[in-house]
Amino acid sequence: MDQDQNPTSGNGTGTAVTGAGSSQDTRTAAGENAQTLTTRQGHPVTNNQNSRTVGNRGPVTLENYQLLEKISHFDRERIPERVVHARGAGAHGVFESYGTVGNDPISKYTRAKLFQEKGKQTPVFVRFSTVIHSSHSPETLRDPRGFAVKFYTEDGNWDLVGNNLKVFFIRDALKFPDVIHSLKPDPITNRQDGGRIFDFMSNTPEAMHMLTFLFSPWGIPANYRQMQGSGVNTYKWVNADGEGHLVKYHWEPLQGIKNLTQPEAEKIQAKNFNHATQDLYDHIAKGEFPQWEFRVQLMPDGDHPELDFDPLDDTKIWPEDQFPMYPIGKMTLSKNPENYFAEVEQVAFGTGVLVDGLDFSDDKMLQGRTFSYSDTQRYRVGTNYLQLPINAPKKHVATNQRDGQMTYHVDTAPGQNPHVNYEPSSLNGLKEAPRSAPDHKPHYNGVLIRETIDRQNNFKQAGERWRLHEEWEKEDLVNNLVDAISAAEQHIQDKMVELFTQCDPEYGQRVAEGLKKHAEMSNSNGQAGMNGKKESDAVAQAEERAHEAQPY
């Protein structure tokens, strides 16, 4: 037998296995075994926790092959439904600028044109969504909510893609496919499984802050109108002198904030699993237009060693007593979509869609999302997704990009030589725009490495959030965590209790007591999903309480 055909040849041993109807070579290199993680190219993965960055704070470098392979495959896991944010509702509206940040003109911090004048209005389209669940899932399920805004500015589109919660599970985009896989249904049973969820979370201490929000009533907003929004990631503002400031974005609903406990959500779901979509549509149809005030937090650009957290870490909140919220404008949603698919389903957002005066920080999650989001849209909607009316800028467009699936028109300018689809050219082709202000030029001097950030501080803010919860919120949080964690193996339960205890001793004690009581009372081995239901009980009830019928 030729060596290339021998599954036991090479530096290691292995046998052929069958999967999806085909055999697979399972040779292992020296130091590997069958459980060694590799890329699709077979390269052993020695660090699956950190992207390769200039210094451990970033920025991320483009030659991260492992990151690109992992994220680009993840972007293509579903056809054609969004992998995340599949269930959504949307509306058109307008953003009105206040022209100031606190007592200062906004031009002190950013040259972005949409903010400069008091009363200046910019059209917007907003898509609200659930993150994990599918396109026809109930809107009462426990899940982060997406809050994405497309600003159609005079300088082109700006997309602010965020969530209702101000933090996230992870701080490095390399882990995004992993966290979503843990929250999605089991690939064998096709059901969400608390055992899988908390297997991942118990090995991800940075997730404690997000879990303390998500499993509380904050994990089930009452509707889309009465929930907050956040850009989650850290961005930069750049002024006319090219000076940068770190910025966090927040939407505060002027209708107030309302959340649901798990039992309250279950009662609503029994009557209407589209309630949030209906609520938004009906209020706009009646002329009761929802509004949000747009607020920002600012700090000078830099790594801020005086803080006990890294300002680029999206598992952290910037304390308001140190970094106040400044109102900079107001958004009003006043028009429902004319066609759901053409607008809400085909609208495409990307965190890399910024206008002059707005810029990226070195936030590792932001930089990974910037590749992933637009890559997903090209795959899901098509190469020419930006030619669809809902995605197209409300201004002049002239590019040298050509062809591709579903080309609707050619991006040529009036009088442009149609033979020239390149630049530079002396034959009447497109020309570069003049530079009206200097670029922001951050300075980097670091080692290219794969490392977790220095100031992780995974438990402090989670403990603070626990202590800020009202008693009814704490009770709902513990009940929901116990229902979900009870599906996990005992060592995972113990590890979660240890992590919650590091956040706050009372927090860990109450989860531990809940798990002990649950184990004593449990009479079944059913698995619990993220929404606190004993699934095996529901299966039994469906048969026991059903009404018999005769064949026809």
Side-chain angles (χ1 to χ4, degrees), residues 109-368:
Y109 299 100
T110 177
R111 61 184 186 239
K113 294 177 183 175
L114 78 160
F115 295 134
Q116 299 305 310
E117 303 169 20
K118 182 178 181 180
K120 184 179 180 67
Q121 295 190 342
T122 300
V124 297
F125 184 83
V126 178
R127 187 178 188 271
F128 305 106
S129 58
T130 56
V131 174
I132 298 300
H133 303 288
S134 62
S135 61
H136 293 290
S137 57
E139 292 180 305
T140 45
L141 298 182
R142 186 170 308 284
D143 205 353
R145 272 30 175 204
F147 195 125
V149 183
K150 187 179 292 292
F151 297 81
Y152 301 96
T153 86
E154 62 192 277
D155 275 343
N157 291 350
W158 170 35
D159 291 348
L160 180 56
V161 192
N163 289 336
N164 65 313
L165 301 176
K166 298 179 182 181
V167 294
F168 199 59
F169 299 97
I170 53 173
R171 58 171 69 98
D172 192 314
L174 188 68
K175 302 305 296 176
F176 192 69
D178 295 307
V179 67
I180 299 301
H181 281 172
S182 76
L183 294 165
K184 286 284 191 181
D186 184 302
I188 305 300
T189 66
N190 198 35
R191 289 184 287 117
Q192 264 193 312
D193 180 352
R196 298 176 69 252
I197 293 169
F198 286 96
D199 177 34
F200 177 85
M201 300 301 174
S202 67
N203 289 289
T204 310
E206 68 210 65
M208 296 307 108
H209 197 185
M210 180 66 166
L211 293 176
T212 306
F213 273 108
L214 183 61
F215 279 82
S216 79
W218 290 87
I220 311 180
N223 52 57
Y224 294 130
R225 290 181 306 108
Q226 294 174 299
M227 75 178 194
Q228 295 170 295
S230 172
V232 181
N233 295 111
T234 302
Y235 290 83
K236 282 186 185 179
W237 272 2
V238 179
N239 63 18
D241 296 323
E243 298 168 340
H245 273 75
L246 300 179
V247 61
K248 286 267 198 181
Y249 297 109
H250 306 279
W251 296 104
E252 290 296 329
L254 300 184
Q255 299 75 236
I257 303 169
K258 289 190 175 182
N259 300 317
L260 297 169
T261 65
Q262 184 67 41
E264 292 166 347
E266 290 172 4
K267 290 178 181 178
I268 294 168
Q269 183 175 321
K271 299 176 181 179
N272 184 349
F273 66 88
N274 306 293
H275 82 284
T277 294
Q278 182 176 341
D279 175 89
L280 180 66
Y281 187 96
D282 288 352
H283 276 83
I284 293 176
K286 290 185 295 186
E288 299 174 0
F289 302 146
Q291 295 182 317
W292 286 261
E293 188 166 68
F294 197 29
R295 301 177 185 177
V296 297
Q297 292 176 285
L298 294 166
M299 71 169 76
D301 194 11
D303 60 1
H304 291 271
E306 75 279 4
L307 300 176
D308 63 5
F309 67 95
D310 194 310
L312 305 185
D313 183 354
D314 65 358
T315 70
K316 302 296 187 295
I317 288 174
W318 293 4
E320 286 189 53
D321 59 345
Q322 296 176 265
F323 308 99
M325 294 272 194
Y326 295 114
I328 63 168
K330 181 173 66 176
M331 178 174 70
T332 304
L333 298 184
S334 57
K335 180 180 180 295
N336 283 312
E338 296 179 9
N339 180 274
Y340 180 88
F341 182 84
E343 297 166 71
V344 181
E345 188 62 20
Q346 292 197 129
V347 68
F349 299 91
T351 57
V353 184
L354 306 177
V355 295
D356 184 54
L358 313 179
D359 210 336
F360 304 98
S361 76
D362 298 334
D363 181 338
K364 297 188 204 180
M365 270 296 294
L366 173 60
Q367 296 194 354

Side-chain angles (χ1 to χ4, degrees), residues 14 117 432 504:
E117 303 169 20
E432 293 176 328
D504 185 279

Side-chain angles (χ1 to χ4, degrees), residues 89-109:
H92 298 268
V94 66
F95 170 75
E96 182 176 329
S97 173
Y98 294 164
T100 55
V101 176
N103 296 321
D104 295 319
I106 205 164
S107 58
K108 178 178 179 179
Y109 299 100

Side-chain angles (χ1 to χ4, degrees), residues 478 482 497 506 508-518:
V478 171
V482 167
V497 169
E506 181 197 22
Q509 180 182 359
R510 288 177 63 167
V511 173
E513 291 172 350
L515 287 168
K516 181 179 179 181
K517 184 177 179 181
H518 185 281

